[in-house]
Amino acid sequence: MRYLSLSVLLVTVVTLTACVNAVSEPIVTSFNESSVGIQIQQDAWTPMTAEAEAQSIALADARANEICSRGPNRTAERVSVRQVPAGEYVIAKEYLYLCLR
C-alpha cells in the first residue's frame, strides 16, 4: 500500500510538472545596428508548451523591434534560429533579427 501511494504521488508530480506553461523572458545576446541576437531559454526537464513558446517568441519579436528602433534602421525581421549550448539542463534557441528600414 505504501508503494502505491508513493507511485501515485510521483505520477501526480510528473503530470503537474509537464503542464508548466512558463513564458521565457528573452535575453539580448548581440546588437550592432544591423542585427539583433535574442536568446530564449527553457528548462530541459520541463519544456515549454507550444503556447508558451509562441508567447516567448512574440516577446522576442517585440524586444527586437524596440532595439532596432534605436538605430538608423527602424524595424526588425526574424531571419533565422539556431540551438546554442547553454548548459546541461537548459535548452536555448537564439533568434537572429535583421534591422531594416
Side-chain angles (χ1 to χ4, degrees):
M1 191 66 166
R2 184 173 134 191
Y3 294 112
L4 180 61
S5 56
L6 182 60
S7 63
V8 168
L9 177 64
L10 182 62
V11 168
T12 303
V13 169
V14 169
T15 303
L16 290 175
T17 303
C19 295
V20 171
N21 194 14
V23 175
S24 177
E25 186 67 30
I27 301 167
V28 178
T29 57
S30 64
F31 172 62
N32 65 7
E33 292 190 1
S34 297
S35 65
V36 178
I38 297 184
Q39 194 175 98
I40 296 175
Q41 297 181 349
Q42 62 179 304
D43 184 39
W45 295 103
T46 54
M48 285 188 276
T49 62
E51 181 180 311
E53 187 171 9
Q55 290 175 350
S56 296
I57 292 170
L59 285 172
D61 291 348
R63 183 78 173 132
N65 272 312
E66 187 265 323
I67 290 170
C68 284
S69 70
R70 296 178 187 174
N73 302 319
R74 297 291 178 204
T75 60
E77 182 177 326
R78 187 173 358 118
V79 292
S80 69
V81 61
R82 66 184 177 126
Q83 192 161 329
V84 294
E88 188 173 350
Y89 302 109
V90 177
I91 299 169
K93 291 182 181 176
E94 186 167 32
Y95 294 84
L96 178 65
Y97 296 84
L98 293 180
C99 295
L100 306 172
R101 291 180 187 237

